[in-house]
Amino acid sequence: MRWGVAAGGAIGVALVPLVVLSAPTVVTAQTAEMEQGKRLYESQCGSCHGPLGNGGRGANLAQPRLRRASDDQALFNIIRRGIPGTEMPGSPLTPRQVSSIAAYVKTLGRVEPEDIPGDGRRGEAVFAALDCARCHTLGGRGGIVGPGLDDIGARRSAAHLREALLDPEASVPSGFLQLRVVTKDGRALTGFRVNEDAFSIQFRDLSGRLHSFWKYELDVLEQQWQRSPMGSYAARLTSEQTDDLVAYLVSLKGAQ
Ligand code: HEC
Ligand code: HEC
C-alpha cells in the first residue's frame, strides 16, 4: 500500500536534468530534484530505513559506502528492482523519480556516523555466555531456528537489533512464520514454516528438525504471525550488557 501513494503527487513538476551544468538556473533545478527525492524518500523508504536513513527494518543508509549499492548504477538498480530474496522491495516509480531518490540517498551518507554505545568485544562474550548460537548460525556454527547473523550488522540498524533483543515479537522479520500444529494422532509441535503448498506443509521444530505433513494429517494448523520463539532478553541483560551485545551485532558485517 505504501508504494505508489506519493508517486502520483507533486511529481511531473520538476523534470530535472541529471547531469547539471554550471548555469545559475540549474541550482534551482538541482534543489527541486533534491526536494522531490527527499519527499519520495520520506514516503516510500523512511518507514523501513528511518527518516534520517539510520535504518530500522531496513539497512542503515547514512554511511559513506553502501555495501550493496557501491556505485550510482547499483544504487539506481536496487531502488528500482529491490533486492530479491530480502525485504527490500522493488518500486513502480519512474526512472526519473528513482534518480531523484538516489541523489537524495547519497546525501544521507554525509551525516555523522551513528554513535553506538557499548563495547563489541564484551558483547561477543555476552553472546557466548547466553548461548545465542543455540538458535543462530554465525561463522558457520550454530543452530538454524533463527536467522543467520553473519551480516546482521549490515542488514539492520542498531535500533532494530536492540528491539530484536528486548522485544523480539515487535520486529519479527517478514517471512518468518511460527506455526503450531497438532496431528490427528495427537502430537503437538511448534516450529516455523519452511515451505507450504495447498496440500502439504514443511516446517522446522525448535530443535531444528524438519517435518513434513500432508494437511489432511493435521487437526490444527495455526499460523502465529508476529510470534517468536526467541524470548525477550530484557530481564536477562543489564542495560550495559544490552549496549555491548548491540555493538557486537552491529560489527557483524559479513564479507565486505
Ligand atoms: C519494507 C521495508 C523497506 C522499504 C520500504 C525500503 N527498503 Fe531498502 N532495504 C530494506 C532491507 C531489509 C534492506 C537490506 C536487504 C539485505 O541486504 O538483506 C534494504 C536495502 C537497501 C539498500 C542497500 C543498502 C546497502 O547497504 O547496500 C538501499 C540502497 C536501499 N535499501 C534503499 C531504499 C530506498 C531508496 C527505498 C525507497 C524507495 C527503500 N530502500 C525502501 C528494506 C526496505
Ligand atoms: C530459541 C531460539 C533463539 C535464541 C536462544 C535466540 N534467538 Fe534470536 N531469533 C530467533 C528467531 C526464531 C528469530 C526470528 C524471529 C524474531 O525476530 O524473533 C530471531 C531473531 C533475532 C534477531 C533479528 C534478526 C533479524 O533479521 O531481524 C536478532 C538480532 C537475534 N535474534 C539475536 C539473538 C541474540 C543476540 C541472542 C542471544 C542473546 C538470540 N538471538 C537468542 C531465535 C532465537
Side-chain angles (χ1 to χ4, degrees):
M1 209 178 69
R2 199 177 297 121
W3 295 110
V5 175
I11 286 137
V13 184
L15 296 178
V16 180
L18 272 184
V19 180
V20 284
L21 306 167
S22 54
T25 49
V26 167
V27 177
T28 352
Q30 209 177 13
T31 316
E33 186 200 8
M34 204 54 90
E35 271 165 17
Q36 175 185 308
K38 180 167 190 283
R39 265 202 315 277
L40 285 170
Y41 175 86
E42 284 166 356
S43 64
Q44 312 277 304
C45 326
S47 57
C48 286
H49 289 284
L52 302 174
N54 288 94
R57 226 172 115 192
N60 179 0
L61 301 179
Q63 43 192 351
R65 207 184 129 263
L66 294 175
R67 186 175 58 130
R68 309 181 85 145
S70 47
D71 57 35
D72 288 1
Q73 188 61 45
L75 179 60
F76 182 92
N77 289 343
I78 284 180
I79 299 174
R80 195 91 208 268
R81 300 185 199 135
I83 306 175
T86 78
E87 286 169 47
M88 171 65 199
S91 74
L93 300 173
T94 66
R96 200 178 296 281
Q97 290 169 334
V98 170
S99 296
S100 75
I101 300 188
Y104 179 67
V105 165
K106 289 204 306 186
T107 67
L108 296 171
R110 295 193 205 114
V111 303
E112 293 285 305
E114 194 179 3
D115 190 17
I116 294 162
D119 177 328
R121 262 185 320 179
R122 285 201 310 252
E124 185 170 7
V126 175
F127 188 89
L130 291 174
D131 196 18
C132 308
R134 182 157 64 88
C135 294
H136 292 282
T137 302
L138 181 57
R141 292 217 309 270
I144 45 177
V145 170
L149 297 180
D150 281 315
D151 61 350
I152 192 76
R155 291 190 288 118
R156 307 290 196 188
S157 71
H160 172 98
L161 295 171
R162 184 176 296 274
E163 188 174 62
L165 295 174
L166 302 181
D167 188 7
E169 299 198 331
S171 61
V172 173
S174 73
F176 182 89
L177 174 58
Q178 183 166 304
L179 298 173
R180 193 177 74 88
V181 306
V182 181
T183 60
K184 291 227 158 92
D185 53 13
R187 270 199 305 155
L189 288 161
T190 298
F192 61 93
R193 181 170 70 184
V194 175
N195 226 325
E196 176 172 5
D197 60 30
F199 307 106
S200 72
I201 188 153
Q202 288 75 44
F203 76 102
R204 241 177 240 295
D205 68 23
L206 297 184
S207 69
R209 258 188 59 205
L210 201 59
H211 298 265
S212 182
F213 291 109
W214 295 110
K215 288 185 176 169
Y216 68 74
E217 296 176 297
L218 301 175
D219 244 359
V220 177
L221 171 55
E222 187 191 337
Q223 307 196 333
Q224 303 178 319
W225 289 105
Q226 301 302 117
R227 291 286 306 282
S228 167
M230 172 168 156
S232 165
Y233 281 85
R236 281 179 276 174
L237 293 166
T238 64
S239 67
E240 196 185 26
Q241 287 172 323
T242 307
D243 285 348
D244 293 346
L245 193 48
V246 169
Y248 175 58
L249 294 171
V250 166
S251 76
L252 302 174
K253 305 272 194 201
Q256 292 278 323

